[in-house]
Amino acid sequence: MDVKEAAGDMPADVDLLVSADEMLTSDCGIAQNMAVAIHGGRIVDMGPRGDMARKYRARETVDGSGKLLMPGLIDAHTHVCQQLLRGRLFNERPMIWTRILVPFESNLRPDEVHAGAMLAGVEMIRAGITCFADSGGPHMDQVAEAMIELGLRAVLSRSTMDTGDAIPTSMKESTGDAISRTEELHAEYDGAGDGRIRIWFALRQLMTSTPELVAGVLDKAKEKDTGIHIHLAEHRGEVDHCLVRYGRRPAEWLDDMGVAGDRLLAAHSVLLTDREVRMLAERGAHPVHCPRANLQSHGFPKATLFREFGAQVGMGSDGAAGGPLDLFSSMRLLYLACRCYFGLPVHDATAMSARDLIGFVTSGGAAAVRMSDTIGSIEKGKAADIILIDLHQSHLSPITPTIDSYVSFIQPADVSDVIVAGSVLMRDRRILCVDEEHVMARALEARESVFRRAGL
């Protein structure tokens, strides 16, 4: 990140200079006519567009005239390996896990996972998602390879399960194998892609994890200094499971095991008592709500209560099987849900704000993936993970230039440019990092192949 300035008043050389009519600041304000200088994959300076043009000589420029510059979005809980299931789960009767997900995932081949991951990556780029956390599936090495090729930032885990009657033997591992295979993935891919790929330990869910696996994962996460990704308080069966076996609710039992700390990324976090919400917040755990999935089958996430207790909340898509990888509509869905469920009964118009929501998909997501010092806002020294929004749209022009307005109206199709670690992955809606038509053709072939074997 060494920016070498020429003699006298000559401009300094940088890799990239990105300008925009408007920029979302770290305090959710809107600054006018700004530019960001990028070198070595990081933001080295920002300021008024004219001043920046005089200060820096860029090898490449991105002209954001008529556009809003903002941090890339962070999908803090998704399932890349389920990309080929898109549309298959809508309005399906229970149990989706045993009837569809298990047959599908257990039949995936490495090349099919790679094909689906490439398609997921393209969809994320088009939706302004520059970083994601995947809780794991089969052949996660292929997901890592796909993200290295695409240029996205990813926090990947293996789906570890060492018990449970509802899963086939082919998906179940011994406790030792579950841990050692994650160690192997970590050794091969943690830090790959010039540091964009990180490997974590994970627990699929408590119903498929023995106490020995939970303890082993915690020990290894501490040893490797990784986070722990888990589905938590998602289903009633999970609560019953923990109450019957341990006499404690899921979050309480995780706390007893020492897992409910700042390493924990707790996807869903819906079926929680107020007591559990406070405990998780006090421990520094990171709840990640998935509004689309939660509201159709799990319940109302207590985002407002987590916020009041000081937790940094993230947001996830939960994968493409049940809907698009669209965090913009997820923000609006969570806003309406919280206003309806928590606000209306007590006449509280402040149950959720646009600032809260944009925080969930930026700084909150960054905290959930343990990268607050790297991503989540546009600041000097942080990674240059940036997106541009084309404001020259009938639904965005004219519009009052406030965070409230933009959270209310921006759609994925408005994302025009995407930059990750200083590399331009999409310019003016054209994907630069991969042949999109080839990716879609491969994904179609892979979907038909795995569906035949899985009987779907």
Side-chain angles (χ1 to χ4, degrees):
M1 198 174 70
D2 183 23
V3 179
K4 296 182 178 179
E5 199 164 336
D9 295 327
M10 293 293 290
D13 290 323
V14 294
D15 295 329
L16 182 63
L17 192 64
V18 184
S19 62
D21 287 0
E22 299 178 8
M23 185 181 84
L24 180 65
T25 62
S26 57
D27 62 354
C28 286
I30 304 294
Q32 305 293 321
N33 295 311
M34 298 290 285
V36 174
I38 297 165
H39 196 73
R42 291 189 175 267
I43 297 169
V44 296
D45 200 1
M46 66 186 71
R49 189 186 315 208
D51 293 348
M52 296 292 285
R54 287 186 289 271
K55 287 177 65 177
Y56 297 101
R57 179 175 52 235
R59 179 177 53 82
E60 183 180 4
T61 61
V62 174
D63 180 9
S65 297
K67 297 179 180 180
L68 166 70
L69 189 155
M70 63 181 290
L73 307 187
I74 301 164
D75 186 340
H77 178 69
T78 190
H79 293 271
V80 168
C81 76
Q82 295 175 10
Q83 186 74 15
L84 302 180
L85 272 175
R86 183 174 13 229
R88 183 62 179 81
L89 304 186
F90 184 76
N91 206 31
E92 279 285 350
R93 67 186 187 279
M95 282 285 294
I96 290 173
W97 166 251
T98 53
R99 290 194 305 105
I100 300 175
L101 293 182
V102 167
F104 174 77
E105 288 194 19
S106 63
N107 276 282
L108 279 169
R109 299 187 312 218
D111 61 310
E112 293 162 347
V113 171
H114 185 273
M118 292 293 288
L119 183 63
V122 168
E123 184 178 356
M124 283 188 268
I125 292 169
R126 289 203 170 279
I129 297 167
T130 55
C131 175
F132 68 92
D134 193 309
S135 62
H139 313 300
M140 290 304 292
D141 59 317
Q142 294 302 307
V143 178
E145 291 288 349
M147 297 311 134
I148 292 169
E149 182 176 349
L150 287 166
L152 283 169
R153 196 178 301 278
V155 177
L156 308 177
S157 309
R158 287 189 70 256
S159 178
T160 54
M161 298 180 284
D162 67 343
T163 189
D165 296 333
I167 56 175
T169 303
S170 61
M171 296 179 70
K172 200 181 305 183
E173 303 171 300
S174 70
T175 304
D177 284 348
I179 293 172
S180 64
R181 288 170 184 167
T182 301
E183 288 186 283
E184 292 169 3
L185 186 70
H186 185 278
E188 185 170 2
Y189 286 105
D190 190 62
D194 296 323
R196 290 180 288 102
I197 308 301
R198 296 190 180 182
I199 305 299
W200 281 18
F201 287 81
L203 300 160
R204 185 74 176 237
Q205 56 185 337
L206 293 184
M207 290 181 289
T208 57
S209 303
T210 63
E212 291 75 21
L213 180 59
V214 174
V217 161
L218 176 60
D219 287 344
K220 289 299 180 180
K222 289 179 178 178
E223 177 186 320
K224 307 291 186 183
D225 194 22
T226 79
I228 299 172
H229 199 148
I230 188 174
H231 296 77
L232 180 65
E234 183 180 8
H235 296 291
R236 292 182 178 183
E238 176 190 347
V239 178
D240 292 342
H241 173 89
C242 290
L243 286 173
V244 169
R245 283 161 181 76
Y246 312 122
R248 304 281 276 164
R249 294 178 62 85
E252 294 171 332
W253 185 68
L254 277 184
D255 189 42
D256 293 343
M257 295 290 290
V259 178
D262 61 3
R263 295 183 188 279
L264 186 66
L265 189 164
H268 301 297
S269 292
V270 174
L271 299 180
L272 298 169
T273 64
D274 292 357
R275 180 181 67 256
E276 290 173 288
V277 170
R278 179 189 291 273
M279 179 271 291
L280 288 171
E282 289 176 347
R283 300 291 188 271
H286 300 282
V288 173
H289 298 316
C290 304
R292 187 188 67 239
N294 298 155
L295 292 170
Q296 69 180 350
S297 59
H298 308 147
F300 287 83
K302 295 185 175 181
T304 57
L305 194 58
F306 271 116
R307 180 198 60 188
E308 292 303 317
F309 288 148
Q312 289 183 288
V313 177
M315 187 178 293
S317 67
D318 204 27
L325 306 181
D326 175 6
L327 295 183
F328 292 108
S329 65
S330 290
M331 283 191 278
R332 292 188 283 271
L333 183 58
L334 185 60
Y335 171 80
L336 291 172
C338 288
R339 283 290 299 268
C340 176
Y341 193 77
F342 300 109
L344 287 182
V346 293
H347 195 51
D348 179 13
T350 65
M352 189 61 61
S353 72
R355 287 173 179 262
D356 293 327
L357 294 164
I358 203 70
F360 294 170
V361 298
T362 56
S363 58
V369 298
R370 295 167 60 84
M371 293 190 208
S372 291
D373 60 343
T374 305
I375 58 175
S377 60
I378 300 172
E379 298 180 64
K380 292 181 184 180
K382 287 196 171 184
D385 292 8
I386 292 169
I387 63 175
L388 289 173
I389 307 298
D390 185 358
L391 301 176
H392 189 62
Q393 312 280 345
S394 59
H395 60 281
L396 292 174
S397 178
I399 194 170
T400 305
T402 64
I403 188 61
D404 291 349
S405 297
Y406 291 139
V407 167
S408 297
F409 291 100
I410 291 175
Q411 303 170 10
D414 303 327
V415 179
S416 61
D417 306 81
V418 173
I419 299 162
V420 178
S423 295
V424 182
L425 307 187
M426 182 171 74
R427 185 189 286 265
D428 290 325
R429 293 295 292 172
R430 185 168 67 89
I431 299 286
L432 304 179
C433 54
V434 71
D435 182 337
E436 188 174 4
E437 290 296 328
H438 178 65
V439 167
M440 290 191 291
R442 276 192 68 214
L444 178 58
E445 292 178 1
R447 183 182 190 273
E448 292 175 347
S449 176
V450 69
F451 269 40
R452 281 195 300 269
R453 291 195 308 279
L456 297 174

